[in-house]
Amino acid sequence: MRKLDIPMLLLAFLVVLLFILVGLAIAFRNVWAIIFCIILAFSVFGFAMSRKKKRKG
């Protein structure tokens, strides 16, 4: 069995948490929280993908 990559796993959990927060912000109808969480989620996702690409490349 392969060893777990803990930092990447934590980044994945963070992205999922941010998208859950987007849903919560939609439920509360808070536009600023929706925009902030979406931007932050995509930023963290992009950072994780760039980190993964640098490691493999």
Side-chain angles (χ1 to χ4, degrees):
M1 188 168 176
R2 292 177 44 184
K3 192 173 95 171
L4 285 178
D5 189 5
I6 300 298
M8 291 300 282
L9 182 65
L10 291 176
L11 282 173
F13 278 133
L14 180 61
V15 170
V16 170
L17 177 68
L18 285 168
F19 280 116
I20 290 170
L21 288 176
V22 169
L24 193 63
I26 290 171
F28 287 131
R29 297 180 181 173
N30 189 342
V31 177
W32 294 113
I34 296 168
I35 294 169
F36 178 72
C37 288
I38 287 175
I39 290 172
L40 197 59
F42 280 111
S43 298
V44 172
F45 184 76
F47 172 72
M49 289 294 117
S50 68
R51 189 169 175 213
K52 183 178 178 181
K53 185 177 179 182
K54 284 181 186 177
R55 192 173 10 175
K56 286 191 176 187

